[in-house]
Amino acid sequence: MRRVVFSLATFIALAVVSFVGVDALPGDGCTALLGRFGTNAKIDACRQENNLNDSVVVRIKDWSGDLVRGDLGYSIKRDEQVSKIIIPRLRNTAVMAAVAALIAFPSAIVVGLLLGRYPRKRISKAINQFSVIAMTLPEFVIATVLWLVLSIWIPIFPGVSVMPSNASLLQLLPNVWLPALTLAVVIFAHSMRTMRASVTNVQNMPFVESARLRGTNERKMISRHIVPAALPPVVNVVALDGAWLLTGTFVTEAAFNFQGLGRLAIDAISDRDTALILPIILFGLAVYLVSSILADSLVRVFDPRLRSSNR
Amino acid sequence: MITTLTQSQILGFSNVTVRIKNEARDSRPILEAIGLQLGHGETLGIVGGSGSGKSTLLRLAAGVLTPGLVLDQGEVTTVGKNLLVATPAERSNIYGSVVALVAQSIGESLTPHLTVLSHFRDTVSGEAVDERVLESLAEVGLGGEKYLHRYPHQLSGGERQRVLLALALVRSPQLLLLDEPTSALDVSIGSEVLTTIDRLQRSRGFALVCVSHDLGVVSQISKRIAVMNQGRIVELGQTSQVLRSPSHEYTKALVSSIPKLDQRIRESSSQSNERVLVCRGLQIVRGQTTRAIDSLDLEIKQGEVVGIIGESGSGKSSLLSAICGLVSVTGGSLHDGDGYDLSTALQMRPREVLSSIQMVFQNPDDSLNPMRTVAQSLSRYTHATNSEISSALLTVGLGEQFLTRRPREMSGGEKQRAAIARALLAEPRLLLLDEVTSALDVTVQAAVMKTLADLQRKLNIAMIIVSHDIALVASFVDRILVLRNGQLVEQGSVDDVIKSPRDSYTQNLINISARRAAI
C-alpha cells in the first residue's frame, strides 16, 4: 500500500517535471501549426486563443485538472482531441506487445529452464551463443532479416503495414506479426538468459541437494523446488521487458511503418506537437511504475520471507 | 573390531582413494586408502579438522562425489550397491527410504518457499499424510500442529535441524548420515539435538555415521570413533578406548585440546585501577524494537580480561559492535578510560580513540582482504613499517615468510593470527575478541588461545572475549559475564561463576561442558 502511494507521488512529481521540461523547449503548438509562415502577430493571436500565454503554474493547473477529468488535451497542430489520436495507436501497440509477449516469455522460461538443467549439452551452448547475438543485434537488423526471410523469400507476412491507425482487429492482425516477432527475439534472449542463470544458481543451492538426498523425484524437484526459487529474478526482467514492449518500440514500428504509439511519438517529436508528446511520456511513466509494482507483488507470491517482513 | 559378516554390512569402504581431478598422482589425495565397515544398527563417529576429508567421506557414503573430485581407486558399497554408478531414478528410490543424509548447512537445507508440510509431501504420499508428518515431527521433539505450516525462516536453528532430522527419518531409512549436526547451533540447543538423535537411534535401531570437528559431539552418539587427519583414518576404535588411551599423535592432541572447566591456560596478571571502559545503563536497540542490550553496567580495568558468554541473540556481539562503534548506542552511557564518549559515530572518533580499541572478528576469511598480502593488509591504516609488521607477526607466532603471503595460502589458524597481529599494530588498550577461535579446529584453537595468553601477559592489555564455549572462557579470563536476552544474568570471578552459578542457564552450560570434558 505504501508502495502504491509512493509510486503515485513519483508519478505526479515526474509529470510536473515533464510538463516544465517540454514547456522549456523552444516552440509550442502554435509555432508548430503555423510553421515558417507564422508571423509574430499570428503566433501571438494563436497563443492568446489557446491560453498559451498564461504562466506555467496556471497551465499546469488547467492541464492536470483536465487530466483528472479524463481529458488528455487538444493537439493544435493536428486539430484533434489527443485521446482520439492516441487510443487507436495504443491499441495497435498493445496488440503487438501482447503477441510478442505471448511468443517470447513462455518459451524463454521453458528454454531457460532446459538450458540451466543441461548446461553441458552442445545444443545448450549453441542456443546460448545465439541468444547473445540476438541480444546485441540492433532491432532494425533483426527487423530486416525477418522481413527478408518471412516476407520476401517465404512470403507469409506483409513486409510493410499499409493500414489506417484505426483499422479493425482483423485488418490489424496480419500486420502485427513481423514487428511482434522482431520484439520477441530481443526479449526472448533477455529473459531466457536470466532464467538460465537463475536456474543454474538455484541448482547449486544446498536445499536442492538436500531435497534430492531425501528422495524427491526429478519432476517434483523441478516443479516444487527449482522453478519457484528461480522465477523471482525472471519476474523482474519480464516486467521491465513488458514495459519496454509498450513504450520502447520506436525503431521496430518505424521499420515496419506500424501505426503504433512509437511511430506516433516520433512524429509528435519531429512536429514539436507538445500536446501530444506529454501524454505519451506520462503513459510510459505509468507503465513502468505499474509494472514494477506488479513485479514486486508477484515476487512476494514466490518468496514467503518477503511477505512476512512487511507485516 | 571390524565387522566381518558382510551379509549384515550396510556400508563398506574398501581401500578408497579420492583425488582432485587432473592433479598429479604424487600429490596428497583428499581421501587415502580408506577402509571402513559398518553393520546394521551400528554407530560410527568420524572426527577431524577442516580439510581432513571427513565430509567428502560422508557424502561418498551417500554416493555423492563432490564436483572436481575423482574416485581414484577402491569401492564404496552402500546397502549392497555402488551408488556412484546408480541412475538418478535408482538413487531417488534409495534416498530417504534406505539411506538419508542431513547436510551441514542447516540454514540453507530447507527450501525457503515451502512450508514444513510441503517438504514432507515431496516424499510422503498416500493416505493420512498429515498424521504421519505430525507423528514424525513429534518424534524429534516438535509436537503440535503449529509447525506444519511454518516456513523455514520462521523456525529457529534448532527447529530447522529437527525438521531436517524428521524429514530424513520419516521413511525409516536403515542408514542415517549426519554432517556436523550441531556446529550451527548454540551449545545448549546442540546438546538437546544430540540427545534426540541418540534416543531415536536406540529406539529405531538404524545405523548412524556422524561427522564432526568436535570430539564431544561424536562421542555422545557413537560407539565407535574414526579419527581423520589429512585424508586418512589415523585411528579407529571403540569410543571409550580412543578417548582413554589415544594412540595416534593427532588423536592425543585432539583429546587434550578439549577445554576443561578447571584448567587455566592463562594466569591473572596485575591489574591497575585505571579503567579502560565504563558503561552505565547501556541500551542498544536493533531493528525496530528489539533490545539487543538492556541497561547494562560494565567496567573494565587496565590489564583485565573479561569473558562474555551467551547464546545467539543474547546481545554479546551487539555489545562488542557498540564498543568499537559499528552499532549505535540508543541509551545510557559508554565511555573509554579518558572519558571519551563512545556513543558517537565511528566516523567522528579521533584517531587515538580508534586505535585504542581494536576488534578481531570471528571469521578471518571475511576480515582479511583476499587480494592483499599480509604485509599490505597489516600496513594499511596502521602505516606500520615492514620491520614493525614482522615483529608483530612474531609475537603471534608467524615467521617473516608470511609477509608476502595472501590469505588463500594460509591455514585458518594462520589467518586468525595475522588478524590478531593487525589489531596489535594499532597498540590498543582494549582488545575485543569475537568468537575468534570458533572457525578454527580444536587443536589450532588451543594454540591460538595460548598465543593470546602470552600476548596479554607481555603487553598487559585489557581484553573482552566473547564466546559460546564456557570452558574456553573459564580457562582464560579473570571475570565472567553471562548475557541472556540482552540482560546480564550473572557476573563474577571465574571461580564464583563456575563453582556456584546462580542462574539456571549458566548451570546448564556448565553441565554440558562438564559432560564433554568427562568423556
Side-chain angles (χ1 to χ4, degrees), chain B residues 87-102:
Chain B
T87 64
E90 284 171 341
R91 283 177 192 224
S92 77
N93 280 335
I94 288 170
Y95 292 147
S97 62
V98 186
V99 183
L101 186 143
V102 178

Side-chain angles (χ1 to χ4, degrees), chain A residues 285-308:
Chain A
L285 264 175
V287 165
Y288 272 97
L289 289 174
V290 169
S291 75
S292 75
I293 291 176
L294 281 180
D296 284 359
S297 4
L298 204 56
V299 166
R300 272 159 198 269
V301 174
F302 291 114
D303 197 336
R305 286 169 296 187
L306 297 174
R307 288 207 291 277
S308 61

Side-chain angles (χ1 to χ4, degrees), chain B residues 74-94:
Chain B
E75 203 177 333
V76 184
T77 320
T78 313
V79 287
K81 293 189 183 70
N82 182 353
L83 287 185
L84 280 175
V85 297
T87 64
E90 284 171 341
R91 283 177 192 224
S92 77
N93 280 335
I94 288 170

Side-chain angles (χ1 to χ4, degrees), chain A residues 31-160:
Chain A
T31 53
L33 174 69
L34 298 167
R36 59 196 165 96
F37 305 111
T39 61
N40 280 349
K42 274 187 185 167
I43 290 173
D44 218 42
C46 167
R47 282 180 177 158
Q48 202 67 46
E49 191 188 334
N50 291 294
N51 300 329
L52 291 182
N53 282 335
D54 296 345
S55 75
V56 177
V57 182
V58 172
R59 278 183 290 133
I60 288 184
K61 230 176 73 190
D62 289 351
W63 171 70
S64 52
D66 287 349
L67 215 55
V68 171
R69 263 176 271 118
D71 181 359
L72 293 181
Y74 181 78
S75 165
I76 302 169
K77 163 88 182 177
R78 286 172 168 72
D79 192 18
E80 210 175 359
Q81 285 295 322
V82 168
S83 55
K84 281 228 170 96
I85 309 172
I86 286 186
I87 286 171
R89 317 231 175 186
L90 178 57
R91 183 208 59 178
N92 296 349
T93 294
V95 170
M96 175 181 71
V99 171
L102 284 176
I103 296 172
F105 292 140
S107 58
I109 286 171
V110 172
V111 173
L113 174 66
L114 290 174
L115 259 57
R117 294 288 296 156
Y118 309 105
R120 280 167 211 281
K121 292 250 164 86
R122 200 173 286 170
I123 177 87
S124 296
K125 289 179 180 165
I127 294 177
N128 201 23
Q129 281 307 313
F130 179 76
S131 73
V132 176
I133 297 170
M135 232 167 53
T136 44
L137 279 181
E139 286 155 65
F140 62 85
V141 176
I142 301 173
T144 311
V145 172
L146 285 175
W147 169 76
L148 198 64
V149 176
L150 295 178
S151 183
I152 303 298
W153 295 348
I154 318 164
I156 314 174
F157 303 125
V160 171

